[in-house]
Amino acid sequence: MHTHSSNRIIILLHILAFLCIMSACSTKPSYVLSAGAMEDVLYDVHKAHFMQEQKGTERYDGATQYAIMQSVLKHHDVTEAEWDSSMVYYTRNADELSDIYSSLLDRLSEEASIMGAGISDASDTTNIWTAERNIILTQDDLNSTYQWTIQTDTLLEKGEHLKMRYLALFLNDNLERRATALISLRLGNDSVMYVQHTPTQTGYYTLEITDTKDLGIKSISGIFMLHHPSMYSITDKQKQDGGKERQILCLSDIKLLHEPRVRPATEKQKADTVKVQKNDTLLKNDIMKRDAPQRDLTPLPPPSRVMAKDRLVQQE
């Protein structure tokens, strides 16, 4: 009986020890920013970049981005060491970072509508983006890539021009910034064409593609990918912490705009245009003649001799 009770006590102690270890592992270190503080800092970082874009600044070099980041950290009384430690923690805890951005993006959407962030869509363009409008990528294998597809065979006409516009925000200034954005079109004959570019700085990016052969577009697909650091870009700091620090890329304000392609006029259209212009000219001339004041064009009679004699008398 005593042995049985001792075994139960030992088992309970093991369970308590396990729970304590799990609790300790899930506890956020004191030097890491709280979720609310992290959200406030990220909000001001995004807002600063939106304001830069409104001034016509598309992308910024590393020095400009660093200056923006330092200004925001100073405003929130956060040291660079606290920020770096928080970035490492939230990179490893993607679920917590996702929760932060879920709340953050609601605030950004409201702010963007007030500030007019992003490009102003032309009246003849339509935003057909139906995937996630805001995406977070990290250098972890499971979160480094986002693929999307939009079926458009009943939406787009032949010869359409497509333009993707988005804000790429690299959050970790200490690590390499390199990503890939790609758009692929499956055309009416099942052939494929694509365009891509490689964002390496924070800022707004535009990627354009056109159905130049008028084949029609069945579907649009693409990919966003955050690259893993190359062996030549790994810093001494990363080597010391075993490469645990990761880059984070936030893609926001994503739009995919389409507009009908402007085709050159045919010979018949050119002839019709000339005919219309000629008819307009004739109509204007008729109106001018009709509205002009009438003048008496009856010729005057020649002066008589009597009138001439009278003038001579007056002169004398």
Side-chain angles (χ1 to χ4, degrees):
M1 184 71 178
H2 179 73
T3 304
H4 182 68
S5 299
S6 299
N7 289 338
R8 290 182 61 185
I9 293 173
I10 293 174
I11 292 173
L12 288 173
L13 289 175
H14 279 293
I15 293 175
L16 289 173
F18 175 76
L19 292 176
C20 289
I21 293 173
M22 293 300 296
S23 176
C25 292
S26 60
T27 301
K28 187 178 301 180
S30 60
Y31 52 82
V32 171
L33 296 178
S34 66
M38 191 75 175
E39 179 184 331
D40 289 340
V41 173
L42 291 173
Y43 173 79
D44 282 344
V45 171
H46 280 75
K47 185 176 178 180
H49 287 296
F50 281 141
M51 294 176 67
Q52 287 290 328
E53 194 273 343
Q54 289 299 295
K55 295 178 182 178
T57 306
E58 287 286 307
R59 287 180 285 280
Y60 338 104
D61 55 23
T64 302
Q65 184 177 351
Y66 181 78
I68 292 175
M69 193 70 233
Q70 290 300 309
S71 176
V72 173
L73 293 180
K74 182 178 180 181
H75 174 73
H76 288 274
D77 195 24
V78 175
T79 67
E80 189 171 354
E82 289 173 329
W83 175 252
D84 291 343
S85 299
S86 300
M87 289 297 299
V88 173
Y89 172 83
Y90 285 107
T91 301
R92 297 176 184 174
N93 296 271
D95 291 340
E96 293 187 49
L97 183 63
S98 179
D99 291 340
I100 290 174
Y101 261 92
S102 178
S103 174
L104 170 65
L105 295 175
D106 289 339
R107 295 172 61 184
L108 288 175
S109 297
E110 181 179 355
E111 184 71 19
S113 63
I114 297 173
M115 296 172 59
I119 58 173
S120 56
D121 304 337
S123 59
D124 58 346
T125 63
T126 304
N127 183 14
I128 61 173
W129 180 258
T130 57
E132 295 290 337
R133 194 164 181 263
N134 303 281
I135 302 166
I136 300 174
L137 300 179
T138 68
Q139 291 177 323
D140 296 321
D141 291 335
L142 296 178
N143 301 307
S144 62
T145 302
Y146 181 86
Q147 299 184 28
W148 54 271
T149 299
I150 299 174
Q151 301 297 331
T152 59
D153 51 331
T154 59
L155 181 62
L156 300 183
E157 299 178 356
K158 296 180 179 180
E160 294 276 4
H161 177 75
L162 300 173
K163 178 188 296 184
M164 172 175 277
R165 176 83 165 173
Y166 64 93
L167 171 63
L169 179 58
F170 294 92
L171 296 180
N172 198 327
D173 295 330
N174 299 322
L175 302 180
E176 178 184 19
R177 300 182 294 271
R178 188 164 61 95
T180 292
L182 179 145
I183 298 179
S184 173
L185 303 182
R186 181 169 293 279
L187 303 175
N189 62 352
D190 286 328
S191 62
V192 175
M193 63 183 299
Y194 71 91
V195 292
Q196 68 179 44
H197 61 196
T198 304
T200 57
Q201 296 176 348
T202 285
Y204 273 88
Y205 286 85
T206 301
L207 195 57
E208 302 185 50
I209 189 169
T210 303
D211 174 22
T212 54
K213 296 184 178 180
D214 292 345
L215 295 173
I217 303 173
K218 287 186 175 181
S219 65
I220 313 171
S221 58
I223 188 173
F224 291 110
M225 181 174 64
L226 177 61
H227 294 272
H228 290 271
S230 63
M231 60 178 299
Y232 301 105
S233 65
I234 298 178
T235 63
D236 292 336
K237 182 180 178 181
Q238 288 178 278
K239 293 177 181 178
Q240 292 174 0
D241 67 7
K244 296 178 181 178
E245 190 174 6
R246 294 286 188 270
Q247 180 64 268
I248 299 176
L249 172 61
C250 177
L251 304 168
S252 60
D253 199 24
I254 303 175
K255 298 177 182 178
L256 183 60
L257 306 174
H258 87 90
E259 55 188 10
R261 199 179 91 200
V262 179
R263 298 175 176 83
T266 63
E267 293 301 323
K268 183 178 183 305
Q269 290 173 328
K270 292 179 181 178
D272 291 342
T273 301
V274 172
K275 183 178 180 180
V276 169
Q277 292 176 342
K278 183 177 180 180
N279 291 338
D280 287 345
T281 301
L282 293 175
L283 179 61
K284 290 179 180 178
N285 291 338
D286 290 342
I287 293 174
M288 292 176 64
K289 290 179 180 180
R290 183 192 64 191
D291 296 341
Q294 299 297 322
R295 293 183 298 172
D296 186 3
L297 301 180
T298 304
L300 296 174
S304 63
R305 291 183 178 181
V306 175
M307 295 175 61
K309 182 177 179 181
D310 291 342
R311 284 197 294 272
L312 291 173
V313 171
Q314 290 176 359
Q315 289 178 358
E316 293 176 354

